[in-house]
Amino acid sequence: SHLILPPGIFILMLFFLAFYLMLKKAWKNAFFAFLIGAFIWLFSITPFSNALFTLLESDVVTPKNIEGDVIILLSGGVNGNIADLTGNGVPKEETLLRLITVKRLQKQLNLSIIVSGGKVYSDSESESPIIKRYLIEMGVPSNKIILEEKSRDTIENAKFTSDLCKKLGFKRPILVTSAYHMKRAIMSFEEHDMDVLPFPSNYKKQINKRYAWNNFLPDATELRNTYIAMHEYLGIFSYKILMQFYKLL
């Protein structure tokens, strides 16, 4: 099935096209067709995506001693126009995994939660109210949930939640987000003079992974993982460039 379903079928088509072009002695076109297929294959296998996440999640560890006065949950997105058991809208997979971590932390520490996530696009829904509904149904008291609904990206997450913390008197926030996203999130909070205790969720790197032959077959899930990791690298790079630009002003 790996070679019948996307992206495998597209890789096969490109390799067959490259072979056909070689028979026609169209060497340059054959090379480009093969190269594109090879890149799609590389981006779609477990060893490549795992290597990308390993770099992102290096030095991102779960703290043993958890001390803080509020939990900050960064939204990882929602699907707003989907019917759910108790209303419209469901958290995306990344958000659900962060939700579980936050619920466990809240039960252990009995702290308030700031849910950060607004309306990212004009045709989307505000993310925080959907996440709040889930937290309440998971047993978190409504009066323990504070919504931040203005942010559209990580930089705004940091800006608006930092403002909330200062306004409400929180000085030792515990930051929960995906492990691969933690470095960029910390950079954003530091820029707004907010020290946070990082508490990573849903690691993606596989430690001491021994790869079998099937891990080298193209897989749509691994292609998406590569996209997520590369998006994060681009975000970190863009953020550093942006910060250097602001310093020159």
Side-chain angles (χ1 to χ4, degrees):
S1 64
H2 285 274
L3 298 178
I4 297 174
L5 298 173
I9 186 64
F10 300 127
I11 296 170
L12 279 181
M13 290 171 64
L14 285 163
F15 284 166
F16 279 125
L17 176 61
F19 180 72
Y20 172 78
L21 292 170
M22 287 174 62
L23 294 177
K24 294 289 187 179
K25 299 188 184 303
W27 305 111
K28 185 176 180 179
N29 291 336
F31 172 76
F32 280 114
F34 177 82
L35 191 64
I36 293 170
F39 269 114
I40 297 175
W41 169 78
L42 180 65
F43 292 166
S44 305
I45 60 175
T46 304
F48 185 77
S49 65
N50 193 44
L52 292 177
F53 281 120
T54 299
L55 290 172
L56 282 172
E57 296 178 357
S58 63
D59 303 325
V60 178
V61 297
T62 302
K64 294 182 179 179
N65 299 317
I66 312 168
E67 294 183 359
D69 53 9
V70 70
I71 301 168
I72 297 175
L73 167 60
L74 302 189
S75 172
V78 302
N79 292 314
N81 297 315
I82 294 180
D84 187 41
L85 182 65
T86 56
N88 289 324
V90 297
K92 291 184 177 179
E93 179 183 355
E94 293 296 323
T95 305
L96 279 172
L97 293 170
R98 298 176 194 180
L99 269 170
I100 294 170
T101 299
V102 165
K103 165 57 184 171
R104 294 166 69 189
L105 266 180
Q106 200 279 331
K107 182 178 180 181
Q108 179 179 340
L109 303 174
N110 193 32
L111 297 177
S112 294
I113 302 167
I114 298 177
V115 182
S116 179
K119 186 173 182 177
V120 180
Y121 302 106
S122 60
D123 62 340
S124 61
E125 301 294 327
S126 182
E127 298 179 2
S128 295
I130 294 173
I131 296 171
K132 178 180 179 179
R133 190 178 85 241
Y134 267 69
L135 284 171
I136 291 173
E137 292 176 8
M138 291 167 69
V140 179
S142 178
N143 62 357
K144 289 283 188 180
I145 304 172
I146 304 164
L147 299 189
E148 181 286 294
E149 297 187 66
K150 296 188 289 184
S151 60
R152 297 165 296 178
D153 53 35
T154 304
I155 294 176
E156 291 189 352
N157 285 145
K159 173 178 169 30
F160 295 127
T161 52
S162 295
D163 290 345
L164 262 178
C165 284
K166 292 168 185 175
K167 178 181 178 181
L168 299 175
F170 296 123
K171 299 183 183 300
R172 295 176 296 143
I174 302 168
L175 177 64
V176 176
T177 188
S178 301
Y180 67 83
H181 181 245
M182 186 61 75
K183 288 184 178 180
R184 180 156 63 105
I186 291 174
M187 288 168 57
S188 299
F189 276 88
E190 286 177 345
E191 191 63 29
H192 290 89
D193 300 319
M194 177 64 68
D195 290 327
V196 296
L197 175 67
F199 198 95
S201 173
N202 50 303
Y203 284 88
K204 288 187 177 291
K205 67 179 179 182
Q206 302 179 57
I207 303 173
N208 299 322
K209 170 71 173 177
R210 298 182 64 181
Y211 297 110
W213 65 270
N214 59 291
N215 295 130
F216 293 88
L217 293 175
D219 186 276
T221 299
E222 297 305 332
L223 182 61
R224 171 161 177 74
N225 283 338
T226 296
Y227 167 84
I228 291 171
M230 293 181 74
H231 177 269
E232 199 61 29
Y233 282 110
L234 180 62
I236 292 172
F237 176 76
S238 300
Y239 185 87
K240 288 183 177 180
I241 294 296
L242 186 62
M243 289 303 103
Q244 290 299 322
F245 175 75
Y246 280 141
K247 289 177 182 179
L248 292 174
L249 295 179

